[in-house]
Amino acid sequence: MAMAHESIHARIDELTEIKETARLGPDPAATERQHGKGKLTAQERIALLLDKGSFNEVETLRRHRATGFGLEDRKPYTDGVVTGWGTVHGRTVFVYAHDFRIFGGALGEAHAQKIHKIMDLAEAAGAPLVSLNDGAGARIQEGVTALAGYGGIFQRNTRSSGVIPQISVMLGPCAGGAAYSPALTDFVFMVRDTSQMFITGPDVVRTVTGEEITQNGLGGADVHAATSGVSHFAYDDEAECIEDVRYLLSLLPANNRELSPVERSGDPVDRLNDALLDLVPAGAGQAYDIRKVIEEVVDDGEFFEVHPLWATNIVCALTRLDGHVVGVVANQPASMAGVLDIDASEKGARFVQFCDAFNIPLVTLVDVPGFLPGVDQEHNGIIRRGAKLLYAYCNATVPRISLVLRKAYGGAYIVMDSRSIGADLALAWPTNEIAVMGAEGAANVIFRREINAADDPDEVRERRIAEYKNELMHPYYAAERGLIDDVIDPRETRSVLIRSLDMLRAKHADLPARKHGNPPQ
């Protein structure tokens, strides 16, 4: 019995040593090189993401079975990816993290199977999945088997879409297939200088097109956060990035069958918004920052803006009203006068779809002069791409409240969750101007002949503009016709929204039976 006891202790010591080897990696110098690039190891990143002491690793001892090209002599534990689960703010979260120290984080058969396993567990458990990406793409030595591994990841990303939140954190160079999985997830975070995403790298671009460009210039954090819209967030360092991932997770439900956690603050429900009377100019042509309006209305002035650097003429944010998470979509008069264009429509549509998938009510703040005119917009598909936002709203079954602050003109008014496309409540401030177009443009169209024939065209134009405003653009015109449910005092915006959302909390709406819709692309 004593020998058996000693044997068990020896085995435990052996296991401890093996797991420590797996944690440290096969080459201590590789850790130093990783730190030298300003990057953390996979284990260090997981420690930042998860609550202290909560990580449970899966398949630590996994090794690849490949041979050839020297692989048979290199079989490190973990096979270059750390997988498992833990908690964030006490709630279960699944995670996988590429270990760049092993094969450059490249994906092989065993590596892929580990990721497949943790993705399947996340879906089965109904908990969010976070990927910490720092991989060099497919492991070339394993050939097509590695590519098939990517296919399994993409298939699972798609199957879990709208079922569990999926968050991709880009912490190194991710090319080719490694860039497609993040593109299928709900949110993409990037770190400046150290993370890049591209389908073909600078060398291939140079060979094929002759263009000279750096990795960051081609697919760096700022490029994807401000130009392409691939990345939702960009940060200067990994710690700040991962802290915001934790914050985002605190706003999201575990899955599509649950609601986001409620965190009430001391901010009174009936707090008056006196500041709004000065924040929003009465003149329809004057600019202001819609984020100041959001800050004034929501709990403690806190909101988490999504895509803050891309399509800045529309603001999308997650926030709380009376402790309940809501999604806010708002035109931004401080950028391009808040006009809707291709990028703003796609940004808004994606956000609306996400909120609808995960039971997050929508509040839409409307101050829109219309769609952006121009040959560029038309030739690049403003019709089909603008229709994405329209489709997203029409398809959404979560509680939906729209509030017209000032102008709401033409098709853009309809698209911004108007009553006619299914908003549960349509509200307006007394400064609203809801019309087919602005009074100036309308008068020029309706009274063109009269104005052109007049001895004093300017006097006739001004008189007809005033007449159009008085007849069709006064703040109660839409309310008189039932297109607006109520015209409210701006100072009561917070309390009205909270009371309205509370009434809609148990809303239930069914869509027609169908396999899925066919949204405009």
Side-chain angles (χ1 to χ4, degrees), residues 246-323:
R246 286 176 56 85
Y247 180 58
L248 174 59
L249 285 166
S250 75
L251 294 165
L252 303 180
N255 55 64
N256 65 340
R257 301 181 303 279
E258 298 183 12
L259 298 176
S260 297
V262 178
E263 292 185 12
R264 287 191 169 86
S265 69
D267 198 345
V269 170
D270 58 354
R271 172 171 57 82
L272 292 178
N273 304 126
D274 296 289
L276 294 181
L277 301 182
D278 298 317
L279 278 176
V280 181
Q286 292 180 265
Y288 64 93
D289 189 346
I290 194 67
R291 290 173 296 190
K292 298 292 185 183
V293 175
I294 299 170
E295 186 178 303
E296 170 61 26
V297 171
V298 302
D299 291 358
D300 301 317
E302 292 183 2
F303 63 92
F304 192 57
E305 187 173 354
V306 176
H307 271 315
L309 303 178
W310 180 60
T312 54
N313 42 325
I314 197 168
V315 171
C316 299
L318 292 167
T319 186
R320 282 189 167 91
L321 283 167
D322 191 29

Side-chain angles (χ1 to χ4, degrees), residues 321-356:
L321 283 167
D322 191 29
H324 295 273
V325 174
V326 298
V328 176
V329 180
N331 305 114
Q332 173 57 295
S335 176
M336 298 170 61
V339 70
L340 282 179
D341 64 353
I342 286 171
D343 287 346
S345 299
E346 295 196 332
K347 171 179 169 178
R350 175 77 168 169
F351 183 74
V352 167
Q353 287 171 176
F354 174 81
C355 289
D356 186 51

Side-chain angles (χ1 to χ4, degrees), residues 34-35 37-41 45 100 134 171-173 194 238:
Q34 184 82 343
H35 289 163
K37 297 173 185 175
K39 297 161 64 177
L40 301 175
T41 65
R45 289 162 174 165
F100 196 82
D134 188 5
L171 300 165
T194 57
E238 292 190 14

Side-chain angles (χ1 to χ4, degrees), residues 394-512:
C394 290
N395 204 46
T397 60
V398 291
R400 291 157 48 191
I401 300 173
S402 66
L403 172 61
V404 178
L405 309 186
R406 292 193 312 184
K407 57 190 177 295
Y409 297 158
Y413 153 63
I414 300 296
V415 168
M416 288 297 293
D417 205 19
S418 64
R419 175 73 175 277
S420 59
I421 65 168
D424 297 296
L425 286 174
L427 308 171
W429 285 357
T431 45
N432 79 81
E433 293 183 359
I434 303 174
V436 175
M437 63 175 67
E440 292 79 4
N444 285 335
V445 172
I446 297 170
F447 306 109
R448 180 188 297 116
R449 291 183 181 178
E450 180 184 348
I451 292 170
N452 290 340
D455 293 334
D456 188 347
D458 291 339
E459 186 275 330
V460 173
R461 182 182 294 106
E462 290 304 314
R463 178 161 49 82
R464 289 303 194 181
I465 288 172
E467 179 184 337
Y468 186 86
K469 282 185 175 181
N470 290 334
E471 289 292 323
L472 297 177
M473 291 183 65
H474 64 78
Y476 309 107
Y477 183 86
E480 290 170 359
R481 284 150 184 81
L483 298 173
I484 292 293
D485 292 296
D486 197 12
V487 179
I488 67 171
D489 184 333
R491 294 171 295 184
E492 297 178 353
T493 299
R494 172 177 166 81
S495 61
V496 169
L497 288 176
I498 289 174
R499 291 198 306 270
S500 301
L501 287 167
D502 188 54
M503 177 273 293
L504 290 166
R505 196 82 58 207
K507 175 188 174 183
H508 177 75
D510 289 318
L511 292 172

Side-chain angles (χ1 to χ4, degrees), residues 373-394:
V375 174
D376 247 8
Q377 290 287 304
E378 296 293 347
H379 286 188
N380 284 299
I382 185 62
I383 295 173
R384 63 178 174 83
R385 295 162 81 176
K388 291 182 182 183
L389 182 56
L390 178 60
Y391 187 98
Y393 270 125
C394 290

Side-chain angles (χ1 to χ4, degrees), residues 204-226:
V204 176
V205 170
R206 185 184 309 112
T207 300
V208 175
T209 71
E211 296 170 288
E212 294 283 345
I213 194 163
T214 64
Q215 284 197 345
N216 279 320
L218 181 63
D222 286 319
V223 168
H224 286 311

